[in-house]
């Protein structure tokens, strides 16, 4: 297999990110569409969640929990990439991420009206940005890995494991660092921002 193919497949290229961006956008707008089904139970759940977080004093358990969940998610997407049928499953996960973001934004507005916009900026955006960075990176790596396996199985060519492992491990390490930062931000900064949001009249 020539070097040009390896470079295009195993390193980041824009087509994969365009595909991911389309899925996230589609999920986001679907989440906005589903917001028409928001009821009092959803609004009460959001209020209860923010109140519960607002009362948290010990950040360490929250940090450990967020970090553990984040690592499990990264590993799940990665292992899906080791399968030749991983791409549709990864695509579904990315789509649902976008859907969650869209629905959460709509829920903030439905619950707090104009104040909800501040809630999105203060409490939701810091979490979403870091989560999307890790999600997009590991999804792109996993999709490329799955594409590589499909190509190799159909062309009966030997895998270049050194190039493959180096690329994937680099992405995994970066994702683990992002997850670590995200867990810290969610358990410290976001908690303080939620307290600030609750004080806004």
């Amino acid at each position: 297999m020539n070097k040009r193919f390896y470079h295009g497949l195993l390193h980041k290229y824009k087509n994969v990110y365009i595909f991911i961006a389309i899925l996230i956008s589609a999920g986001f707008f679907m989440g906005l569409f589903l917001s028409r089904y928001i009821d009092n139970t959803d609004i009460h759940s959001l209020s209860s969640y923010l109140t519960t977080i607002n009362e948290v004093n010990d950040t360490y358990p929250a940090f450990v929990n967020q970090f553990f969940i984040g690592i499990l998610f990264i590993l799940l997407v990665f292992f899906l990439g080791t399968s030749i049928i991983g791409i549709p499953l990864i695509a579904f996960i990315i789509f649902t991420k976008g859907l969650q973001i869209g629905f959460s934004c709509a829920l903030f507005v439905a619950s707090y009206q104009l104040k909800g916009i501040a809630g999105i900026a203060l409490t939701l955006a810091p979490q979403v940005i870091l989560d999307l960075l890790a999600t997009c990176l590991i999804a792109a790596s996993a999709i490329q890995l799955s594409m590589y396996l499909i190509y190799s199985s159909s062309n009966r060519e030997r895998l270049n494991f050194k190039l493959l492992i180096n690329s994937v491990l680099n992405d995994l390490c970066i994702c683990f660092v992002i997850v670590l930062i995200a867990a810290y931000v969610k358990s410290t900064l976001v908690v303080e921002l939620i307290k600030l949001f609750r004080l806004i009249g």
Side-chain angles (χ1 to χ4, degrees):
M1 191 180 299
N2 59 49
K3 293 182 178 179
R4 185 176 179 181
F5 176 80
Y6 281 125
H7 179 77
L9 189 56
L10 295 179
H11 296 339
K12 304 301 167 287
Y13 55 95
K14 63 179 182 180
N15 290 339
V16 175
Y17 287 110
I18 291 174
F19 174 66
I20 292 172
I22 291 172
L23 289 172
I24 292 175
S25 299
F28 178 82
F29 287 113
M30 178 59 71
L32 294 180
F33 174 78
L34 292 178
S35 67
R36 65 173 63 187
Y37 301 107
I38 289 176
D39 55 23
N40 290 332
T41 302
D42 297 317
I43 293 174
H44 178 71
S45 296
L46 175 62
S47 179
S48 298
Y49 169 76
L50 294 178
T51 301
T52 302
I53 295 295
N54 190 33
E55 296 172 350
V56 171
N57 293 318
D58 190 358
T59 60
Y60 181 73
F63 168 78
V64 172
N65 183 56
Q66 292 290 343
F67 182 70
F68 181 71
I69 292 173
I71 292 297
L72 284 181
F73 175 78
I74 294 300
L75 291 176
L76 169 64
V77 177
F78 165 71
F79 283 118
L80 287 176
T82 62
S83 169
I84 59 176
I85 62 170
I87 294 177
L89 297 176
I90 295 169
F92 177 76
I93 290 175
I94 296 171
F95 176 82
T96 56
K97 276 283 184 181
L99 188 148
Q100 292 170 5
I101 295 169
F103 188 84
S104 297
C105 289
L107 183 57
F108 264 97
V109 175
S111 301
Y112 299 100
Q113 287 75 48
L114 289 177
K115 181 183 173 181
I117 299 175
I120 293 170
L122 289 174
T123 67
L124 193 60
Q127 304 177 63
V128 167
I129 291 172
L130 290 170
D131 283 344
L132 282 182
L133 284 175
T135 299
C136 291
L137 178 57
I138 194 61
S141 179
I143 289 172
Q144 292 171 34
L145 174 58
S146 186
M147 289 171 59
Y148 181 75
L149 293 175
I150 293 171
Y151 182 92
S152 298
S153 62
S154 61
N155 287 272
R156 301 184 183 280
E157 296 189 25
R158 295 181 61 186
L159 295 171
N160 186 329
F161 284 105
K162 182 178 180 180
L163 183 60
L164 183 65
I165 292 173
N166 285 342
S167 176
V168 173
L169 287 182
N170 285 338
D171 292 340
L172 277 175
C173 289
I174 294 172
C175 285
F176 288 159
V177 172
I178 296 174
V179 167
L180 178 65
I181 296 172
Y184 179 78
V185 169
K186 291 177 183 178
S187 60
T188 55
L189 177 61
V190 170
V191 173
E192 296 303 317
L193 290 174
I194 289 175
K195 293 178 181 179
L196 176 61
F197 172 69
R198 300 285 297 182
L199 293 175
I200 297 176

